[in-house]
Amino acid sequence: MVNPPPMTNQKPTKILQELDLTHHLHPFTDQKELRSQKPRIIVRGEGIYIYDNDGKKYLDGMAGLWCVNIGYGRSELAIAAKKQMEELPYYNTFFQTSHPPAIELATKLALLAPEGLDHVFFSGSGSEANETNIRLVRHYWTSLGMPEKSVIVSRKNSYHGSSMGAASLGGMHTMHAQGGLPIPDIIHINQPYWYGEGKDVTPDEFGLMKARELKDVIEKYGRERIGAFIGEPIQGAGGVIIPPDTYWPEIERICRESDILLIVDEVICGFGRLGSWFGCQQYGVKPDIITIAKGMSSGYQPIGGSIVSTKIAATLEQKGGEFNHGYTYSAHPVSAAVSLENLRILEEENIIEKVNSHTAKYMAKKWHALGEHPLVGEARVNGLMGALELTPDKSSKSPFTDSGHAGIITRNICLNHGLIMRAVEDKMIISPPLIIKASEIDELTNIVWTCLDKSQKELKQKGLLAS
Ligand SMILES: *Cc1c(COP(=O)(O)O)cnc(C)c1O
């Protein structure tokens, strides 16, 4: 490289990797595999690009972990953090105390959220926010004299975080298998995954069928047992599963007719990912609780929360009694100040409006064109999250027998070509920063096409494709 970008960390990559392997246990990582592969050391970010310790540039097709919505390198957020740290680096919001960043952020979120959602309970992450939701739902029904309404219905292959309660809400069986999950009173129904599980009926019929599994559960257990339903507008970590349009309105209808709270987990879909402040607005549903995190601060500081309906907040206030729950870092002042600055940038630079009016349409055109590739069974996208379903046989769209192999091969080829794209089994997924430009979408999709070609060649050599 002619002009390597400046590096703040001057240790050689080899030494950093060795220290990392010696002292750092990684999340969602096979440590044994890590030792043979060596960790990538990322040192810097700018716009939609990140750089490793050797100066190699990557287009970050995942916005970190679905969170860097405004892109890397916005010094305004660093300035907001510095200012807040100097003024009040920490104080809590327990015991009848508050501080300006907490108040300003709660007020701003109430303004941005759909009408009727106007209170915020803060956490440090999405997982924590969903822990709060489990306890809040059960506390709410108990305070109304219905403690047996403790069951929460979720979906298979959903993701709601990694702590005990949140992973129990989630429908990832590999996570449940470690540590004796789920906790009691969580029920999982099937996901609205038409491509994978529903091709024998139309998407609209399939959406209704899957939503009505909620009704079946209510009939089986009784509405007096079911307290809430939780779902992501679009499942992210499960592989960008975009539900048929019939799905969410039917879920909402069933929740309303059976007096069940609707929790929409907007940790990914919130803050512009689908071209609106919240994903539920795209599907025309109004939840009782919204889970937020990730794009809330564009990942610059850890923060999450639950936006709660006026009805729930008013009930808790009226009934009185302490909610015995909270986090040391609920509404952390530095995180809150950074989140406010992030929201200011999203709003003043019309970033979400641009996604809605331009970027999402351009992405859809380019993404659907990737669906022409012989290795791709389906290309789906909504806003700025998309997936490609890899298939060994385009005519039948059958899945690979050795699930996940093709995904890993393709992901690694993408990495070699300077693109971060994630593989969920054999689904290739993207969720780039919202500030991505048309020319950068061209770049992204061109790299993907090249990598699909190479992947196809490699899979063919290994005898994994239909002839
Ligand atoms: C990432 C994610 C979470 C968990 O958030 P953390 O900040 O990692 O705890 C919860 N729900 C959804 C939909 C997510 O994508």
Side-chain angles (χ1 to χ4, degrees):
M1 186 175 243
V2 193
N3 215 344
M7 282 178 240
T8 42
N9 196 321
Q10 296 302 321
K11 283 198 177 88
T13 304
K14 255 200 153 75
I15 290 179
L16 288 171
Q17 286 174 328
E18 203 42 52
L19 290 170
D20 188 76
L21 287 163
T22 310
H23 298 296
H24 184 189
L25 273 178
H26 288 248
F28 285 105
T29 297
D30 177 340
Q31 292 283 140
K32 187 173 170 186
E33 195 181 68
L34 185 68
R35 188 163 287 277
S36 64
Q37 302 277 314
K38 306 271 185 282
R40 284 179 295 284
I41 314 286
I42 305 301
V43 293
R44 203 171 72 84
E46 188 62 47
I48 65 162
Y49 298 97
I50 55 172
Y51 298 84
D52 73 13
N53 200 45
D54 302 315
K56 184 174 161 72
K57 182 180 177 184
Y58 296 88
L59 194 167
D60 185 6
M62 285 305 297
L65 279 177
W66 326 80
C67 57
V68 189
N69 289 12
I70 62 169
Y72 296 90
R74 293 299 300 250
S75 54
E76 297 95 324
L77 275 66
I79 292 164
K82 178 174 187 285
K83 197 162 156 266
Q84 186 58 45
M85 263 191 211
E86 286 169 350
E87 204 164 291
L88 181 71
Y90 175 76
Y91 202 72
N92 68 73
T93 49
F94 294 16
F95 317 132
Q96 305 178 355
T97 312
S98 201
H99 52 65
I103 298 163
E104 297 288 350
L105 183 56
T107 305
K108 185 71 197 172
L109 289 167
L111 212 68
L112 295 173
E115 214 194 307
L117 289 136
D118 66 355
H119 278 67
V120 186
F121 190 104
F122 289 104
S123 66
S125 68
S127 300
E128 285 179 3
N130 280 325
E131 296 291 327
T132 298
N133 292 340
I134 296 171
R135 301 200 55 204
L136 185 67
V137 162
R138 292 177 177 173
H139 176 54
Y140 171 78
W141 289 117
T142 302
S143 62
L144 283 173
M146 294 180 258
E148 65 288 353
K149 247 170 120 69
S150 58
V151 174
I152 302 177
V153 181
S154 181
R155 288 99 52 88
K156 293 175 187 162
N157 195 40
S158 62
Y159 187 79
H160 297 295
S162 188
S163 51
M164 291 294 276
S168 296
L169 289 178
M172 304 277 176
H173 55 87
T174 49
M175 291 177 76
H176 291 173
Q178 293 170 340
L181 300 179
I183 60 168
D185 285 356
I186 309 284
I187 292 172
H188 298 90
I189 58 175
N190 284 303
Q191 56 180 331
Y193 179 24
W194 180 78
Y195 177 88
E197 299 171 4
K199 274 185 253 168
D200 44 341
V201 294
T202 67
D204 279 355
E205 282 173 295
F206 184 73
L208 289 176
M209 279 166 59
K210 293 302 113 176
R212 286 174 187 157
E213 288 193 20
L214 174 60
K215 201 173 161 65
D216 297 341
V217 165
I218 296 167
E219 272 162 20
K220 184 170 167 205
Y221 292 84
R223 63 159 71 186
E224 65 283 0
R225 285 286 285 127
I226 316 286
F229 173 85
I230 184 167
E232 310 154 74
I234 292 173
Q235 289 153 259
V240 186
I241 312 295
I242 302 174
D245 287 339
T246 49
Y247 181 75
W248 274 110
E250 183 66 1
I251 287 283
E252 183 181 37
R253 195 189 64 72
I254 294 167
C255 286
R256 297 298 164 232
E257 80 178 6
S258 303
D259 200 18
I260 286 165
L261 296 174
L262 175 57
I263 309 169
V264 174
D265 185 338
E266 297 268 8
V267 170
I268 288 174
C269 296
F271 306 100
R273 178 66 41 207
L274 306 185
S276 52
W277 280 98
F278 296 96
C280 60
Q281 295 164 326
Q282 298 277 324
Y283 289 104
V285 297
K286 212 170 89 183
D288 300 288
I289 300 174
I290 293 177
T291 316
I292 52 174
K294 293 190 174 127
M296 177 182 184
S297 64
S298 284
Y300 280 55
Q301 281 288 289
I303 188 166
S306 308
I307 312 181
V308 175
S309 72
T310 320
K311 184 180 89 177
I312 295 175
T315 302
L316 294 179
E317 184 174 328
Q318 189 204 339
K319 296 287 170 188
E322 182 170 325
F323 183 28
N324 298 308
H325 173 73
Y327 308 104
T328 300
Y329 297 141
S330 285
H332 189 286
V334 178
S335 298
V338 167
S339 175
L340 274 166
E341 186 61 10
N342 173 61
L343 299 181
R344 185 192 67 74
I345 287 174
L346 282 173
E347 198 165 33
E348 285 181 12
E349 297 182 8
N350 299 315
I351 291 174
I352 297 175
E353 262 167 56
K354 276 183 212 154
V355 171
N356 188 46
S357 60
H358 290 93
T359 327
K361 290 184 186 108
Y362 192 68
M363 176 64 89
K365 188 177 125 195
K366 301 291 290 194
W367 197 253
H368 288 140
L370 293 171
E372 301 299 312
H373 195 279
L375 197 55
V376 175
E378 182 183 75
R380 56 175 178 266
V381 63
N382 187 328
L384 288 185
M385 61 199 291
L388 302 174
E389 294 273 2
L390 304 184
T391 174
D393 183 1
K394 198 172 174 78
S395 57
S396 70
K397 301 189 180 180
S398 59
F400 284 92
T401 31
D402 179 14
S403 163
H405 198 71
I408 289 173
I409 287 175
T410 310
R411 183 200 62 193
N412 290 342
I413 294 172
C414 288
L415 280 171
N416 288 337
H417 283 72
L419 172 67
I420 311 266
M421 172 143 142
R422 186 158 145 188
V424 177
E425 289 160 346
D426 297 316
K427 305 183 250 304
M428 304 307 302
I429 61 179
I430 54 141
S431 167
L434 306 185
I435 53 150
I436 191 167
K437 299 197 278 273
S439 60
E440 295 167 335
I441 291 175
D442 291 344
E443 183 189 345
L444 186 157
T445 47
N446 286 342
I447 301 175
V448 173
W449 188 277
T450 305
C451 294
L452 287 170
D453 277 348
K454 296 207 164 171
S455 179
Q456 186 190 10
K457 211 173 268 171
E458 189 172 332
L459 288 164
K460 193 165 186 179
Q461 275 165 8
K462 292 187 167 166
L464 294 171
L465 296 185
S467 37

